[in-house]
Amino acid sequence: MPTRKILIVEDESIIAEDISDCLIALGYSITGIVYSGEEAIQSATELRPDLVLMDINLQGEIDGITAAEEIRGRFHIPVVYLTAYADENTLRRVNVTQPFGYIVKPFEEKNLHTTIQLALHRHQYDSLTNLPNRSLLREQLSLVLENQKELPEMIPILTLSLDRINRINSNLGHDIGDSVLCKVAERLSNFTEKINLVARLESAEFAIVIKPVAEKQDAAKIARNILDIVAQPMIFKGSELYVTASIGICLSPGDGCDGEELLKNAYSAMYNSQERGGNKYEFYTATTAINSINKFSQETCLRNALKRSEFEVYYEPQIEIKTGKLIGAEALVRWNHPKRGRVSPAEFIPMAEEMGLIAALGEWVLETACRQTQAWQRESLPPLRVSVNLSARQFEQKNFTERVSEILRETNLDPKCLQLELTEGLILQDEKAAARTFTVWRDMGIQIAIDDFGTGYSSLSYPKRLPFDAIKIDKSFIRNIADDRQNAAITVAIIQMAHCMNMTVIAEGVENQQELAFLCDRECDEIQGHFFSQALPKPQFEALLKSDKCWVM
């Protein structure tokens, strides 16, 4: 556990130094010693200690109780009083500030240590954002609801989730993702419009307790303003970054009897807001609760799917134009749900990315495809290259290259039979790191392909700087290529550019004879799409491979 930082507020310098020496001997870090309430507030603002040890009688114009109330209200930093005062009037004022401990001088070292430890344990701060965490939120929310239960107004409880934060983590790295969370936490903490409490729940989720409002639309207005504040641009490494959020709102007492139920219902509304595209708020209703239960059920099923072997790898044939031979296959994952049947990848892949499961799923596909390809080779079937898509989450793993090497070694697959496919966005997030990784892969004998080429940015500048073997033309350019002059021009330009750089060109999504004829005339190298075959489960693909079929171009 990291060393806890303590701010000492004491009007007598000799006593303050003694307390400091005592705490240092007990293993604490002293962020500073101040002598007035004004200095205490200023130091708490700048230093954000883990705990404030507060005397009551201080220098300056405000006493320790007033300073403690300000510090607890603004920064949620726990305060322990260490004072010679124990009269009834003082204790009554102290109780209003909800202290985490009260020690009367003279004190014993053991009592001081125990009180501080209990205070820190009770407080349980979120270490990244320095906001109260879920445990402290429950405690504070219970107090808010108890104090307001006799009032006619409503208390809005909001839960907020940042939209697509996993894309930021995947494309820009977790350091930038953490910086985004801290910036949002700072904005929410500084948003003073009727906010009672802000807490971090988990991952990229926050809870906000609003002061009592008279009308439902008052809560809606505050939620809109919060969305606007979150959406303001952030500057990281000299570049602007934009994020949006989804908010769920429930109102006490109408939407729940206690803090846990209110948070659960706010979550339901928040999930519904996410499903509608994000950057909006939703009020809790019974319908949103049903929707969130369904989504939760899907996420639970997806989490268990790998354990229960519900995933299956399909293989989409890749045909060489010159020979009409099946020379490769793209490995694609499919989910066979025990009750729903086949679940579309368009549904479960984004969910896996959002839940952080995509790396484990991608590694399973890679290992399965390599093992199966080697098994076909052992049966002396025609030689085959297998292509596997990589997610950004896989690619950013520090040991991923070593893991690829391990899989090839464990499956005994010749690296020349493996092609790894990466998207433009993934490559461009750190081109230098990508170049180093690609060089290692090429030295191993692995082929590298750019997937969905032409749909990203800088498409005509980076291929010459990186060691690619193949470019895959996205199916959006192939569609209606015989009639769409723009698509035709782009496709021809890609083929010519790739051939000038000694790269193979693979066209995706070929659906009809006209598209095939166009690509044959322009000397495209390889083709895949439903005109030849859809992606096939292992037995059917194996039968196709054994048939040694030759397509007529």
Side-chain angles (χ1 to χ4, degrees):
M1 181 176 289
T3 302
R4 297 299 191 175
K5 301 176 296 183
I6 297 179
L7 173 66
I8 298 173
V9 187
E10 167 63 57
D11 66 327
E12 296 286 341
S13 59
I14 295 177
I15 296 175
E17 292 294 339
D18 287 341
I19 294 171
S20 177
D21 292 342
C22 173
L23 293 175
I24 291 171
L26 290 170
Y28 298 103
S29 171
I30 305 303
T31 61
I33 299 174
V34 296
Y35 307 99
S36 70
E38 292 85 349
E39 290 174 318
I41 296 169
Q42 183 66 27
S43 295
T45 304
E46 296 172 354
L47 303 175
R48 297 297 174 99
D50 296 307
L51 181 140
V52 176
L53 202 58
M54 181 78 74
D55 196 359
I56 291 177
N57 187 28
L58 299 174
Q59 301 174 16
E61 296 183 4
I62 63 174
D63 65 5
I65 297 174
T66 304
E69 189 171 21
E70 179 80 0
I71 290 168
R72 286 276 289 133
R74 286 177 58 188
F75 311 117
H76 310 287
I77 297 173
V79 174
V80 170
Y81 290 97
L82 181 58
T83 178
Y85 293 86
D87 59 277
E88 187 175 333
N89 183 56
T90 299
L91 291 175
R92 189 163 45 246
R93 288 186 60 214
V94 161
N95 285 336
V96 174
T97 67
Q98 301 173 8
F100 279 68
Y102 195 96
I103 303 173
V104 179
K105 300 175 185 175
F107 62 90
E108 293 184 9
E109 182 178 298
K110 181 177 70 174
N111 290 342
L112 178 63
H113 184 44
T114 301
T115 302
I116 290 174
Q117 286 295 299
L118 288 173
L120 292 170
H121 178 73
R122 280 182 58 210
H123 189 249
Q124 299 176 26
Y125 257 91
D126 172 61
S127 58
L128 178 64
T129 63
N130 205 33
L131 289 176
N133 68 358
R134 184 184 289 274
S135 178
L136 183 58
L137 171 67
R138 289 193 188 103
E139 178 184 318
Q140 295 296 309
L141 182 54
S142 295
L143 291 173
V144 169
L145 296 174
E146 180 65 27
N147 291 335
Q148 302 292 335
K149 66 181 181 181
E150 302 300 329
L151 296 179
E153 293 96 343
M154 300 174 288
I155 300 175
I157 291 88
L158 281 58
T159 53
L160 178 150
S161 179
L162 298 184
D163 300 325
R164 293 172 285 279
I165 188 66
N166 284 329
R167 288 191 183 179
I168 294 175
N169 289 330
S170 297
N171 294 329
L172 302 177
H174 285 273
D175 288 344
I176 295 294
D178 286 348
S179 297
V180 169
L181 290 176
C182 290
K183 188 65 178 177
V184 171
E186 179 185 331
R187 289 178 177 179
L188 294 177
S189 297
N190 293 333
F191 182 76
T192 58
E193 186 181 352
K194 298 203 75 174
I195 283 186
N196 196 328
L197 177 66
V198 178
R200 185 186 178 201
L201 298 173
E202 55 197 33
S203 185
E205 296 173 356
F206 299 85
I208 305 164
V209 181
I210 306 297
K211 293 178 181 177
V213 297
E215 301 289 340
K216 182 177 179 178
Q217 289 310 308
D218 295 336
K221 179 183 177 183
I222 294 171
R224 279 195 298 270
N225 291 341
I226 291 173
L227 290 175
D228 290 342
I229 283 181
V230 171
Q232 290 175 1
M234 304 177 186
I235 307 296
F236 295 109
K237 296 182 179 179
S239 299
E240 284 190 344
L241 181 65
Y242 293 84
V243 295
T244 58
S246 299
I247 291 178
I249 310 171
C250 69
L251 301 168
S252 172
D255 293 334
C257 300
D258 55 40
E260 282 300 313
E261 185 179 8
L262 289 164
L263 284 172
K264 182 191 72 171
N265 292 342
Y267 259 114
S268 297
M270 181 185 77
Y271 287 141
N272 198 55
S273 175
Q274 288 175 323
E275 290 295 306
R276 294 180 58 215
N279 196 25
K280 53 177 60 73
Y281 65 86
E282 285 279 328
F283 281 94
Y284 167 78
T285 65
T287 302
T288 61
I290 292 171
N291 290 341
S292 68
I293 290 170
N294 290 339
K295 183 180 180 184
F296 179 78
S297 176
Q298 290 174 5
E299 291 181 352
T300 303
C301 290
L302 183 57
R303 240 175 242 286
N304 293 325
L306 263 177
K307 302 176 189 175
R308 297 172 180 169
S309 301
E310 294 172 8
F311 289 109
E312 183 179 3
V313 175
Y314 275 42
Y315 300 88
E316 182 173 340
Q318 295 172 325
I319 314 300
E320 186 178 48
I321 284 183
K322 287 182 180 179
T323 63
K325 288 280 190 179
L326 171 59
I327 63 167
E330 181 177 356
L332 300 168
V333 65
R334 298 292 185 262
W335 182 14
N336 298 312
H337 192 283
K339 294 182 178 178
R340 295 176 58 196
R342 184 70 49 76
V343 181
S344 168
E347 179 179 343
F348 74 80
I349 292 295
M351 194 185 301
E353 289 177 344
E354 182 182 335
M355 296 167 63
L357 298 177
I358 196 66
L361 181 57
E363 184 173 314
W364 177 83
V365 172
L366 176 62
E367 183 175 357
T368 301
C370 288
R371 196 175 303 281
Q372 183 57 61
T373 304
Q374 169 59 12
W376 285 326
Q377 289 180 359
R378 286 199 306 271
E379 295 181 34
S380 299
L381 292 173
L384 185 78
R385 176 201 68 217
V386 66
S387 298
V388 180
N389 294 281
L390 298 184
S391 69
R393 184 66 64 87
Q394 284 176 278
F395 189 65
E396 73 180 6
Q397 290 177 321
K398 292 181 180 179
N399 65 340
F400 182 64
T401 294
E402 289 81 359
R403 184 63 189 128
V404 171
S405 180
E406 284 176 7
I407 289 173
L408 289 170
R409 190 166 55 250
E410 291 166 1
T411 60
N412 199 30
L413 180 68
D414 187 338
K416 291 183 176 63
C417 296
L418 175 63
Q419 184 176 82
L420 297 177
E421 299 185 9
L422 305 96
T423 61
E424 294 177 87
L426 186 154
I427 294 162
L428 292 173
Q429 69 185 26
D430 191 339
E431 191 176 310
K432 290 182 180 179
R436 290 193 296 269
T437 301
F438 294 168
T439 300
V440 173
W441 287 350
R442 287 199 92 181
D443 290 343
M444 291 168 62
I446 297 170
Q447 297 185 42
I448 306 163
I450 312 174
D451 194 17
D452 299 336
F453 187 79
T455 60
Y457 42 94
S458 304
S459 299
L460 300 180
S461 63
Y462 69 85
K464 66 181 180 182
R465 301 193 297 270
L466 294 169
F468 296 113
D469 298 286
I471 286 180
K472 300 191 74 175
I473 304 177
D474 186 69
K475 60 186 178 183
S476 63
F477 297 118
I478 304 302
R479 191 176 301 118
N480 300 322
I481 196 170
D483 303 316
D484 190 318
R485 295 178 61 184
Q486 283 190 325
N487 280 357
I490 292 170
T491 299
V492 170
I494 293 172
I495 292 172
Q496 292 175 347
M497 178 196 73
H499 285 168
C500 285
M501 291 186 275
N502 297 315
M503 296 182 191
T504 298
V505 182
I506 306 170
E508 298 181 288
V510 177
E511 302 287 341
N512 56 54
Q513 182 65 47
Q514 291 79 13
E515 292 167 358
L516 172 62
F518 182 96
L519 293 165
C520 288
D521 290 343
R522 273 68 177 185
E523 298 184 338
C524 184
D525 300 297
E526 299 177 23
I527 299 176
Q528 66 185 85
H530 288 182
F531 182 69
F532 301 96
S533 172
Q534 61 185 354
L536 301 170
K538 182 189 75 172
Q540 287 152 276
F541 183 85
E542 186 173 303
L544 181 63
L545 195 58
K546 287 179 178 178
S547 73
D548 201 17
K549 180 177 179 178
C550 184
W551 280 266
V552 178
M553 298 296 166

